[in-house]
């Protein structure tokens, strides 16, 4: 881990060289033109690890702030996984002090979490980090949460989704905007090399996370072994990944407009119990087809007539939207296809489980979407 000293930090576009200013303005254009985000006068929370990506993002927004009247707060979560983590948190606070930006920090020891929990450190860290960002944004009134994911991360994510079996358009990679979580990724189409050049041109260095070289993690194997091999075969792969992402966005916008919102297809069920007070297994009441008898409060219903009226392409997208609405956990294409085959075959009372404790139960009256209690 390298904890750099700070050079003089610019605070506006006017203090930058032309190439540096163009870098910042390209980020602003991506947010306003590509993502259609109203940037002027907004309050932003920036996830700040001290690495190159989040450092460049925080500095870019700092330089854009006078022109766009931005309010910026940084947020750093100390996972407690490395001996140097406290020093890294202090580096982030010092860097923010040098720019006059508030830095909210919190320590969350991932290693101390439940012994029997099978969730890996990487996933635990991600969950804790986004929970911290959401709580902090709510507390200080930030309109958006920004992270430093960039073009190399997008290419890695695309390859990981391909490995895991994602379908289109999710196969094009992570979104740059998630309005439900108020999440933005302004650097998503900016290559890592450009980010590092931008910082070095300003005389700034960044923290290095030694865990990024641990090949026990899939992402690191993709980053260090698979992606370099692909770039040797095709040096334009990062550009191609960005193009595929744009195509996925276009298709997603088209299908979003074509397919009504999940609320059009679903209603939230009301719970019920047997005469002895026991929970009745989930099914749709034959006497009241719009009422679901279920054992979980987080349950939705899609009716048979609505599903039958949809072409397969839209049904698959509806399935994925409903599962996403129930909470985290990525639904992969093979599982969605199996669910659709069960629906089309007329098989009834079959249960299909998905990541995140979610299930879809095929019933004679429709499909029940259930989020199991933890």
């Amino acid at each position: 881990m390298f904890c750099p000293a700070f050079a003089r930090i610019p605070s506006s576009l006017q203090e930058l060289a032309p190439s540096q200013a163009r870098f910042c303005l390209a980020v602003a254009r991506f947010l306003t033109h590509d993502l259609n985000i109203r940037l002027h006068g907004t309050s932003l929370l920036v996830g700040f690890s001290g690495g190159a990506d989040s450092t460049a993002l925080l500095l870019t927004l700092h330089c854009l702030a006078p022109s766009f009247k931005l309010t910026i707060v940084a947020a750093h979560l100390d996972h407690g996984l490395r001996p140097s983590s406290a020093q890294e948190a202090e580096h982030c606070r010092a860097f923010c002090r040098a720019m006059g930006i508030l830095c909210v920090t919190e320590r969350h020891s991932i290693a101390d979490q439940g012994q029997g929990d099978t969730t890996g450190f990487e996933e635990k860290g991600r969950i804790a980090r986004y929970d911290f960002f959401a709580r902090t944004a709510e507390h200080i009134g930030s309109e958006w949460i920004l992270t430093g994911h960039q073009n190399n991360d997008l290419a890695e994510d695309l390859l990981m989704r391909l490995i895991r079996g994602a379908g289109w358009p999710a196969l094009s990679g992570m979104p740059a905007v998630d309005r439900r979580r108020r999440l933005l990724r302004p650097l998503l189409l900016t290559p890592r090399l450009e980010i590092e050049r931008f910082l070095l041109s300003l005389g700034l260095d960044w923290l290095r996370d030694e865990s990024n070289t641990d090949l026990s993690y899939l992402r690191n194997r993709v980053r260090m072994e698979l992606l370099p091999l692909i770039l040797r075969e095709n040096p334009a792969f990062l550009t191609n990944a960005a193009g595929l992402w744009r195509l996925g966005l276009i298709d997603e916008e088209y299908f979003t407009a074509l397919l009504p919102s999940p609320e059009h297809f679903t209603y939230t069920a009301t719970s019920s119990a047997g005469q002895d007070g026991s929970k009745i297994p989930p099914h749709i009441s034959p006497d009241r087809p719009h009422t679901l008898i279920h054992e979980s409060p987080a349950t939705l219903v899609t009716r048979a007539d609505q599903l039958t009226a949809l072409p397969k392409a839209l049904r698959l997208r509806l399935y994925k939207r409903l599962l996403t609405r129930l909470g985290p956990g990525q639904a992969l294409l093979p599982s969605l296809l199996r669910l659709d085959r069960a629906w089309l075959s007329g098989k009834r009372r079959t249960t299909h489980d998905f990541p995140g404790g979610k299930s879809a139960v095929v019933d004679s009256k429709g499909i029940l979407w259930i989020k199991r209690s933890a």
Side-chain angles (χ1 to χ4, degrees), residues 290-308:
H290 293 278
T291 301
L292 174 67
I293 311 301
H294 69 100
E295 60 182 7
S296 168
T299 308
L300 302 169
V301 180
T302 45
R303 296 201 317 269
D305 58 332
Q306 293 173 313
L307 291 171
T308 303

Side-chain angles (χ1 to χ4, degrees), residues 86-123:
Q87 185 182 0
E88 293 167 3
E90 177 52 37
H91 160 79
C92 291
R93 288 190 289 266
F95 188 79
C96 289
R97 282 196 299 269
M99 291 189 292
I101 292 176
L102 172 65
C103 182
V104 180
T105 61
E106 180 175 291
R107 182 178 174 84
H108 185 101
S109 183
I110 305 299
D112 293 339
Q113 292 185 0
Q115 294 288 334
D117 190 352
T118 57
T119 305
F121 282 147
E122 189 176 40
E123 180 64 10

Side-chain angles (χ1 to χ4, degrees), residues 58-70:
L58 188 62
L59 181 57
T60 294
L61 295 168
H62 181 59
C63 291
L64 291 171
S67 301
F68 289 88
K69 309 299 181 187
L70 303 176

Side-chain angles (χ1 to χ4, degrees), residues 10-319:
S11 58
S12 69
L13 293 173
Q14 289 70 30
E15 297 180 37
L16 298 174
S19 62
Q20 297 163 348
R22 285 195 294 272
F23 179 94
C24 296
L25 289 171
V27 173
R29 281 196 302 274
F30 180 66
L31 286 169
T32 56
H33 296 169
D34 292 70
L35 304 184
N36 197 29
I37 300 297
R38 180 187 64 82
L39 194 59
H40 192 87
T42 54
S43 175
L44 308 174
L45 180 74
V46 181
F48 184 42
S49 69
D53 305 333
S54 61
T55 299
L57 176 59
L58 188 62
L59 181 57
T60 294
L61 295 168
H62 181 59
C63 291
L64 291 171
S67 301
F68 289 88
K69 309 299 181 187
L70 303 176
T71 300
I72 303 168
V73 175
H76 175 84
L77 184 65
D78 177 1
H79 292 128
L81 291 176
R82 296 185 297 276
S84 59
S85 65
Q87 185 182 0
E88 293 167 3
E90 177 52 37
H91 160 79
C92 291
R93 288 190 289 266
F95 188 79
C96 289
R97 282 196 299 269
M99 291 189 292
I101 292 176
L102 172 65
C103 182
V104 180
T105 61
E106 180 175 291
R107 182 178 174 84
H108 185 101
S109 183
I110 305 299
D112 293 339
Q113 292 185 0
Q115 294 288 334
D117 190 352
T118 57
T119 305
F121 282 147
E122 189 176 40
E123 180 64 10
K124 286 179 182 177
R126 187 191 66 80
I127 293 171
R129 188 163 56 251
Y130 280 101
D131 175 70
F132 167 59
F133 292 161
R135 286 187 285 104
T136 304
E138 186 70 24
H139 179 70
I140 65 178
S142 294
E143 297 171 59
W144 293 100
I145 298 166
L146 282 64
T147 65
H149 294 93
Q150 32 75 4
N151 196 187
N152 292 64
D153 294 323
L154 174 65
E156 293 160 12
D157 186 58
L158 187 157
L159 293 172
M160 291 170 65
R161 289 174 183 238
L162 180 62
I163 291 169
R164 289 169 173 161
W168 184 255
L171 188 56
S172 61
M174 69 182 79
V177 55
D178 183 337
R179 296 184 184 275
R180 182 178 61 84
R181 294 192 294 166
R182 296 182 295 160
L183 181 66
L184 295 174
R185 298 182 173 107
L187 300 178
L188 195 59
L189 300 190
T190 305
R192 179 177 292 134
L193 184 59
E194 289 185 21
I195 289 170
E196 294 179 354
R197 284 174 176 168
F198 171 68
L199 292 175
L200 292 175
S201 72
L202 290 164
L204 294 171
D205 212 322
W206 54 89
L207 299 177
R208 273 76 169 178
D209 181 356
E210 57 265 28
S211 67
N212 286 337
T213 62
D214 185 350
L215 295 181
S216 65
Y217 296 113
L218 172 61
R219 180 173 293 279
N220 290 346
R221 295 195 298 275
V222 170
R223 174 177 299 154
M224 299 180 67
E225 298 177 341
L226 183 55
L227 184 57
L229 177 62
I230 292 174
L231 286 170
R232 284 199 296 272
E233 295 294 330
N234 181 7
F237 181 72
L238 294 181
T239 301
N240 293 344
L244 188 63
W245 179 87
R246 289 186 182 278
L247 182 59
L249 180 63
I250 292 169
D251 281 9
E252 182 65 26
E253 290 174 347
Y254 170 76
F255 282 107
T256 297
L258 196 62
L259 183 64
S261 68
E263 287 76 11
H264 177 80
F265 294 96
T266 63
Y267 52 91
T268 303
T270 56
S271 57
S272 180
Q275 293 182 353
D276 60 355
S278 61
K279 295 291 185 180
I280 298 176
H283 67 281
I284 299 175
S285 167
D287 300 322
R288 293 179 294 166
H290 293 278
T291 301
L292 174 67
I293 311 301
H294 69 100
E295 60 182 7
S296 168
T299 308
L300 302 169
V301 180
T302 45
R303 296 201 317 269
D305 58 332
Q306 293 173 313
L307 291 171
T308 303
L310 291 176
K312 186 172 186 174
L314 293 185
R315 278 201 311 275
L316 292 172
R317 283 164 173 78
L318 176 62
Y319 298 159

